[in-house]
Amino acid sequence: MPSMLHSRARGAAVLALFLVAPSTVHAQQPDYRRAEQFLTWNELPLIYAEYIAPTWMKDQHRFWYRVTTPRGAEFMLVDPATAQRTPLFDNARLAAAISRVADTTYDASKLPFTELRFGADEHHIQFNARRRGFSCDIVQYTCTRGDTIPARTAFVRSPDGRSEAFVRANNLFVRPVGGGTERQLTTDGVPLHSYGTGYPNPGVVRSRSTPRPTVQWSPDSRKIAVARHDQRGVEMIPYISMTPARPKLYQWPYALPGDSVVPTVDVHIVDVATRAKVRVQTPPKTTSSAFGAGAGGEQGWSAVRWSEKADRLYVLRSDRGPRTFMLLMANAVTGRTTTIAADSSKTFVEMNLGGGSPNYAVLHQGADILWFSERDGYGHLYRYGGDGTLKNQVTSGAWTVGDLLYVDEAAQWVYFTGRGREAGRNPYHTHLYRVRVDGTGIELLTPENADHSIVVAPSGKHFVDTYSFVDTPPVSVLRSMDGKVVLPLEKADISKLLAIGYRTPEPFVVKARDGTTDLYGVMYKPSNFDSTKKYPVIDQIYPGPQTTSVPPGFVPTLRPGSNQNMFGQVQALAELGFIVIQVDHFGGNKRSKAFHDYWYGNMGDNGLPDHVAAVKQLGARYRWIDLDRVGIYGHSGGGFASTDAILTYPDFYKVAVSMAGNHDNRTYQAAWGEKYQGFLVRDSVRRTDNWENQVNYLKAKNLKGDLFLMHGDMDDNVHPAMTLQVVNALIAANKSFDLLILPDRAHAMHQEPYVIRRTWDYFVRHLLGVEPPRNYEIKPGTS
């Protein structure tokens, strides 16, 4: 049996052509081949020097990076002290050296690796190519071939460079770097109560990758702080892989909202020499899943930090919700803790509005603490004393701090990114600033009116700044810490992209549902746009509220996997004859606390009233937008929102494509839903609860238009049960709809060429009123 329910008969699509005025449709079949050119993996090879990812040398000052050029990829070494940028090696000589030992000819313009690491010195590099490991001398240009080099993520190296920590069979081990005699540091780790990693979900069980253990070495390399995950008693959630001859059952712990038992994690300090272990005396931290070191601002293991002398460990802790965050200082010998700073909210507390590392820093050997809070209505930095006394507010105003990146303790400068401070600029654009610890002397260090991506050198002597806008390609420069340009690095070349007819998206500003608040969006038009025609509009949505969906920078160069691009593939869709938009809404992050809290407790809002208002304003502004043909699509939270849209606004949204939607967050992981919806409260008398306002299947009877639901049956993030609950309700309501279940696919099924093509087909057939090319095959990307 096929795994999909076929779309409606072709006759319905043909009939639609006669029901729409000929002047408002494109009678010809859309050019899929041309649209395919604008998929991310086809655009990126047409762009040179688009992305800078510096890797720092051992001196923490110099760095190298890989850059694409018309001659192929090159590896550049930058020395800020001399303001010089030189090739890391000679591509031609290295290609010849690799070819000699690999018994395969390699072209200098197509070296067989994209990542490398240095060996014992700067004369030797190591890399993997075609499942084999290579070590090459880049002075003598000789190579040897050996076993595949293990991924960095499986081991965490000590600061002295001698040892590395790893996890096996639920326990913590150390060994000399690169291999050698292993020492087991813990012995009581068991499944569901393990050190360093949580219980693997099906996606990891079926993957060959090894997750990075959640450990942190002390600065003197004598102790290790390690997370211990406790998932005992957490109810399991099942998955069944249907493709084997005998279907296989997978299960993993997955707490739902309202569950009394949820995953927790606490922190242990282990002495490497003696194996002595002490637990940091804090309540166990509730986690969103087996892998999270926390939710709501505790991003990964960066929430735990050692003091310079390794005598104290600072641990960020929150309650369930989270409605309170605390910074605790633990004695590294006894494990006893003292609260240094805290913050609370009636809704939820954030430690970083952009989803990065939590914004706190320990200065002057614990005498000062920098702490992030939204207590005045915007995300800002505050300074506490080591005894927990508030000294001063470091930043202030109607704008938000992004990431706390570096502190120069000697000069008393705090370096951080911020958004919305510069008048007349997009409030989602990131800039770098510095300010004195006492809150004086704030300076803008990146003056260009664009979105800036900043990487500060570990030495704190300079930073790499890559900046762009949606219609302006990236420029990368090296700056000193006062913002002065030391060395231009790269300027993206998009001439080949423009040669195929690429059209840059157009930013716009509209009013929110309140008629007052500015909302920022981006519009994509087909490259053959004709203002005398009318175009259907498609709303690409991802509601958050933990992130935003509108791209702040140059769209084709946003890295694969980002919400803004891989969730969208928006330009390719526009190329078929649509106006595609992305617009932010109330409830998103990165602006004020009130803006973010707007629909707390009512996730069914999804920002949709703002999207409807935005599309209507654009329709009134531009006569070539057809407000009678509006579609919407999205993945994950966007799948939830797109189905919500066509069921809540059935007379406005005519077509929806919904991928992997979390249609009822009572079936989604507890920590995420409880943060944005509040705690689940059941009313046994009325047989309802306070979460019903976000349930899509309760609106199934409202469906009027065309709805296409998709889900992977091994989605270990959003369980496929949520889509099937909607399916069940639509059947009960006697509604016609379309469904595609993708066997053995996890959450990222939206990146598959087949899924993209089926999305195109659906909008072409039901919104353009044209029959799409039958079984067109999109070639998968290799970039």
Side-chain angles (χ1 to χ4, degrees):
M1 292 290 291
S3 62
M4 65 179 179
L5 299 182
H6 291 288
S7 301
R8 292 162 179 76
R10 293 186 186 182
V14 174
L15 178 61
L17 286 171
F18 294 96
L19 297 178
V20 181
S23 61
T24 65
V25 300
H26 304 280
Q28 71 276 17
Q29 194 177 66
D31 188 345
Y32 274 40
R33 187 170 302 280
R34 176 166 181 76
E36 187 179 358
Q37 295 181 85
F38 297 100
L39 292 171
T40 304
W41 53 75
N42 292 325
E43 287 183 332
L44 280 176
L46 303 179
I47 304 172
Y48 301 124
E50 87 286 358
Y51 185 68
I52 295 296
T55 300
W56 309 102
M57 306 293 282
K58 288 183 179 180
D59 60 18
Q60 299 188 337
H61 187 62
R62 295 171 301 142
F63 62 95
W64 65 266
Y65 64 90
R66 179 180 182 269
V67 61
T68 57
T69 76
R71 302 172 300 281
E74 296 180 353
F75 293 77
M76 307 304 299
L77 177 65
V78 178
D79 186 348
T82 60
Q84 290 186 335
R85 170 184 171 276
T86 57
L88 185 61
F89 45 73
D90 184 310
N91 278 31
R93 295 183 68 187
L94 182 60
I98 300 171
S99 299
R100 284 193 292 270
V101 299
D103 197 26
T104 301
T105 301
Y106 286 104
D107 188 331
S109 66
K110 298 179 181 179
L111 292 175
F113 59 90
T114 58
E115 298 179 356
L116 62 84
R117 68 178 68 173
F118 281 91
D121 55 44
E122 293 183 5
H123 291 174
H124 293 83
I125 61 171
Q126 300 171 344
F127 54 87
N128 290 325
R130 295 190 177 181
R131 300 183 181 179
R132 294 299 300 269
F134 290 82
S135 179
C136 295
D137 184 324
I138 55 175
V139 175
Q140 301 297 326
Y141 287 96
T142 59
C143 294
T144 59
R145 188 172 64 175
D147 295 331
T148 302
I149 301 168
R152 290 177 182 269
T153 55
F155 304 94
V156 180
R157 183 173 295 190
S158 61
D160 63 11
R162 297 177 181 177
S163 305
E164 55 192 15
F166 63 99
V167 172
R168 181 191 298 134
N170 308 295
N171 282 290
L172 178 65
F173 291 74
V174 293
R175 71 178 193 183
V177 169
T181 303
E182 300 175 353
R183 296 181 66 244
Q184 185 170 351
L185 299 185
T186 66
T187 59
D188 57 337
V190 295
L192 300 180
H193 196 203
S194 58
Y195 291 94
T197 60
Y199 189 82
N201 61 9
V204 173
V205 168
R206 300 164 71 242
S207 171
R208 295 181 180 179
S209 64
T210 303
R212 182 180 179 86
T214 46
V215 302
Q216 197 170 120
W217 287 87
S218 62
D220 60 8
S221 300
R222 294 180 178 180
K223 298 183 181 70
I224 297 176
V226 57
R228 190 174 193 188
H229 300 264
D230 189 352
Q231 296 158 96
R232 296 170 296 177
V234 178
E235 289 197 48
M236 296 285 184
I237 193 164
Y239 294 83
I240 301 177
S241 174
M242 295 291 190
T243 53
R246 185 183 297 276
K248 183 172 178 57
L249 172 69
Y250 295 92
Q251 296 186 93
W252 75 303
Y254 195 107
L256 300 180
D259 283 1
S260 58
V261 181
V262 298
T264 62
V265 62
D266 55 19
V267 180
H268 294 256
I269 299 173
V270 183
D271 187 294
V272 176
T274 66
R275 295 186 176 91
K277 176 169 63 71
V278 62
R279 187 182 76 84
V280 174
Q281 296 176 15
T282 67
K285 169 70 181 70
T286 58
T287 66
S288 59
S289 67
F291 296 100
E298 282 188 64
Q299 299 296 329
W301 198 233
S302 57
V304 176
R305 301 173 190 173
W306 284 95
S307 65
E308 293 180 12
K309 296 182 179 180
D311 58 338
R312 300 184 301 274
L313 185 71
Y314 293 89
V315 180
L316 195 62
R317 272 293 182 264
S318 68
D319 60 359
R320 187 169 174 174
R323 295 179 180 176
T324 300
F325 261 94
M326 299 170 289
L327 180 62
L328 307 176
M329 181 180 67
N331 183 297
V333 176
T334 66
R336 293 177 181 172
T337 59
T338 303
T339 301
I340 302 298
D343 203 18
S344 62
S345 170
K346 293 181 179 179
T347 55
F348 53 86
V349 179
E350 297 274 20
M351 289 299 297
N352 188 314
L353 297 179
S357 297
N359 282 322
Y360 80 90
V362 180
L363 312 179
H364 309 122
Q365 299 184 19
D368 284 319
I369 308 291
L370 292 180
W371 179 254
F372 179 87
S373 173
E374 293 182 278
R375 66 189 61 176
D376 71 352
Y378 290 87
H380 283 297
L381 297 174
Y382 295 76
R383 180 170 64 139
Y384 284 83
D387 60 357
T389 302
L390 177 63
K391 290 186 174 181
N392 61 274
Q393 186 168 349
V394 179
T395 63
S396 61
W399 54 279
T400 62
V401 167
D403 294 299
L404 174 57
L405 294 180
Y406 184 79
V407 180
D408 184 339
E409 295 190 31
Q412 299 286 292
W413 283 116
V414 179
Y415 293 84
F416 64 93
T417 60
R419 305 180 186 94
R421 185 175 183 270
E422 309 309 312
R425 297 190 180 185
N426 187 315
Y428 294 98
H429 282 178
T430 297
H431 293 275
L432 183 68
Y433 300 86
R434 69 177 180 181
V435 65
R436 299 285 185 183
V437 173
D438 63 5
T440 62
I442 189 168
E443 296 179 16
L444 171 66
L445 302 178
T446 53
E448 296 83 2
N449 186 5
D451 182 63
H452 295 256
S453 176
I454 309 295
V455 184
V456 178
S459 65
K461 301 296 184 183
H462 55 269
F463 63 91
V464 175
D465 174 18
T466 299
Y467 57 91
S468 70
F469 194 25
V470 292
D471 56 1
T472 307
V475 173
S476 297
V477 298
L478 177 68
R479 297 182 190 264
S480 57
M481 295 304 281
D482 59 2
K484 295 179 181 177
V485 175
V486 174
L487 180 67
L489 296 174
E490 305 291 345
K491 184 176 182 180
D493 176 0
I494 65 168
S495 55
K496 284 191 174 182
L497 184 62
L498 295 175
I500 68 168
Y502 176 76
R503 184 182 187 122
T504 57
E506 301 173 16
F508 64 81
V509 180
V510 293
K511 296 299 182 183
R513 69 188 78 178
D514 62 359
T516 302
T517 305
D518 283 340
L519 299 178
Y520 296 79
V522 179
M523 178 188 302
Y524 305 80
K525 299 175 182 176
S527 58
N528 61 353
F529 173 76
D530 183 348
S531 63
T532 66
K533 296 181 178 180
K534 275 200 173 274
Y535 291 85
V537 60
I538 297 176
D539 183 359
Q540 191 269 319
I541 188 171
Y542 186 79
Q546 79 282 5
T547 187
T548 58
S549 62
V550 177
F554 192 62
V555 176
T557 59
L558 293 171
R559 307 317 296 166
S562 69
N563 288 355
Q564 293 86 1
N565 212 16
M566 291 304 287
F567 280 17
Q569 301 290 5
V570 282
Q571 182 59 45
L573 184 57
E575 202 65 26
L576 298 175
F578 301 103
I579 302 299
V580 183
I581 69 162
Q582 295 168 307
V583 63
D584 279 321
H585 45 253
F586 276 123
N589 63 348
K590 300 181 182 177
R591 294 177 72 168
S592 70
K593 176 65 173 170
F595 191 93
H596 200 185
D597 280 353
Y598 196 87
W599 36 270
Y600 172 81
N602 180 24
M603 281 194 291
D605 181 288
N606 272 315
L608 289 169
D610 299 314
H611 283 251
V612 172
V615 174
K616 287 182 177 179
Q617 288 172 64
L618 293 173
R621 191 179 300 175
Y622 304 113
R623 61 182 182 81
W624 32 263
I625 284 182
D626 188 350
L627 291 179
D628 292 326
R629 291 184 292 161
V630 180
I632 188 169
Y633 80 110
H635 169 265
S636 192
F640 169 38
S642 57
T643 297
D644 185 6
I646 201 169
L647 298 180
T648 303
Y649 301 92
D651 295 320
F652 185 75
Y653 288 107
K654 306 300 172 52
V655 183
V657 176
S658 170
M659 295 170 272
N662 47 310
H663 301 287
D664 180 358
N665 288 288
R666 296 175 299 188
T667 311
Y668 192 52
Q669 53 181 273
W672 187 84
E674 289 176 352
K675 177 179 178 180
Y676 299 113
Q677 184 72 11
F679 296 120
L680 180 66
V681 179
R682 294 183 174 89
D683 186 334
S684 57
V685 176
R686 300 173 58 192
R687 296 184 179 181
T688 184
D689 57 56
N690 61 322
W691 284 51
E692 280 199 354
N693 59 15
Q694 55 81 49
V695 180
N696 275 342
Y697 65 75
L698 295 178
K699 307 173 187 176
K701 64 180 184 299
N702 297 341
L703 181 63
K704 293 183 180 180
D706 297 290
L707 171 62
F708 188 8
L709 299 165
M710 302 189 215
H711 219 120
D713 68 357
M714 294 294 287
D715 188 334
D716 47 23
N717 182 346
V718 177
H719 200 282
M722 284 195 248
T723 287
L724 293 178
Q725 290 163 2
V726 176
V727 167
N728 192 46
L730 290 169
I731 292 172
N734 194 34
K735 298 294 183 179
S736 296
F737 61 96
D738 295 277
L739 173 68
L740 172 63
I741 298 296
L742 292 105
D744 271 357
R745 268 60 160 205
H747 196 56
M749 40 74 76
H750 64 290
Q751 299 180 21
E752 283 198 35
Y754 182 77
V755 171
I756 294 172
R757 193 267 291 177
R758 291 298 306 276
T759 300
W760 291 3
D761 287 353
Y762 208 74
F763 284 123
V764 166
R765 179 177 289 117
H766 296 292
L767 210 55
L768 274 184
V770 175
E771 187 63 18
R774 183 171 176 80
N775 296 330
Y776 181 85
E777 183 178 4
I778 294 175
K779 302 297 182 183
T782 57
S783 59

